[in-house]
Structures are given as structure tokens and as C-alpha cells.
Amino acid sequence: MAKSTAYQSDHFDSSHCIHLDDIGGRYTPLIKAGEWWRLITPGFVHIGLTHLVVNSVTLYFIGMYIENLFGHWRFLAIYLVSTLMGNLASAVFLPQSISAGASTGIFGLFGAFLMLGLAFWDEPAIHSLAHQFLILVLLNLGTDILVPGIDLAGLLGGFFMAAVVGAPRLGRMDLLKRFLSGTILIVTITVFLEMGLLK
């Protein structure tokens, strides 16, 4: 089930992935049963070689940019929070499906680039790259008819987490914007938890 030319869909009908829950896939009933690590592990689990290779190549190229601009630990934080946000949204809105893959984390890295494009608008290279990634994001979201809104959650997670951690290699960011971004992240995560996992 390909979702775009960038990478494959990370959501699958459970009848086709009967063993995915055994290797860390996101499955809402198991998360509700206490297996909270399944909000993170799907970002590292893939279905078959093609799924793994396509997502890995995409992550490699976008990851090089993000790691160079943010640094190792900030890159990791952005990826993990984006993965968490996407899987939370998936758990709430697609509770009977099983999912795995790096797409929500990848979308979070796209979101980080969009944040840089806004925060450092006067940097021609950053502005140009952010514009290119914006086009790619819109194309992917426009064709994302299988799991609407899930990758968007990852995108927003990356956008706001990137604002929280900042990009000191490029310059200082406004502390108020960083605080507001952190607040939005916490509130959004709390809302998702209340909607689908803490009932």
C-alpha cells in the first residue's frame, strides 16, 4: 500500500500483519493494557525489506540535514517526539489497526525544517530548503488518504519540538516561542492520551 513516492504507508490491516504486534508494532488494545513502549517502538519496526529500505533511505537524506543543523541529541529528540505524536494519533483514531514504520518520525523531521524556515527566514539556504520540503510535505499529505491526520501529527510534533530544542548552530531563538511550543506539545499529548488511552 504505497502512500507516496517518498516512502510506504506504515499502517496495515491486522489481517495482513498477524505477527506485527509480537515485534513492537503499534496496537491500541496492547497499549491500553500497559505496553506503553509501543508508542515509540513502531518507529523502528518495518514490514519487509522494501518498507525498511525506502524509509531508511528517506530518513538518511533528511536526517543528514537535520543532524547537521540541530546536532545529534536534538535530532534524536525531534525524531522520538514526532514518532510519539504520530503513534498517539494513530492509537486514538485507528484503534483497531496495527502500524509500524518511520513515516511519522520522518514527517517530524520535515516539520523541523519548516520551523527553521520560519525562524530563520533571512537565511537564503534555509529558506530555500524549507520551501522544497514544504512542497514535498503538501504532496504527501495530499495523497495521504489511507491514514488522514496521522502523519500530520508527526509533522506538528517535529515542528514544535524543533522550536523547543532550538538550533544554536544557526542562531538563538526567542524564549517565549520555545516555551509556547513546549506548552502546545504537552497539551496536545495530554489531549490524545485522554481521548483514547486513559479511558
Side-chain angles (χ1 to χ4, degrees), residues 3 107 135-145:
K3 66 188 288 188
F107 256 85
I135 294 174
L136 182 59
V137 166
L138 292 176
L139 287 173
N140 277 276
L141 289 177
T143 58
D144 194 10
I145 59 174

Side-chain angles (χ1 to χ4, degrees), residues 32-67:
K32 285 186 173 183
E35 298 183 11
W36 293 91
W37 60 85
R38 292 179 183 274
L39 293 173
I40 295 293
T41 53
F44 303 91
V45 174
H46 290 79
I47 307 302
L49 183 61
T50 301
H51 189 215
L52 174 62
V53 169
V54 173
N55 271 354
S56 295
V57 170
T58 305
L59 181 59
Y60 174 76
F61 284 106
I62 180 66
M64 282 195 304
Y65 287 109
I66 296 297
E67 190 171 12

Side-chain angles (χ1 to χ4, degrees), residues 175-196:
L175 288 178
L176 179 59
K177 291 181 180 179
R178 296 176 70 176
F179 174 78
L180 290 176
S181 296
T183 301
I184 292 171
L185 271 179
I186 293 172
V187 170
T188 303
I189 290 173
T190 302
V191 169
F192 279 149
L193 289 172
E194 289 291 342
M195 286 176 63

Side-chain angles (χ1 to χ4, degrees), residues 113-118 125-135:
F113 241 114
L114 298 184
M115 188 284 299
L116 289 180
L118 291 176
I126 297 299
H127 175 71
S128 176
L129 283 171
H131 184 263
Q132 294 176 37
F133 281 118
L134 175 60
I135 294 174

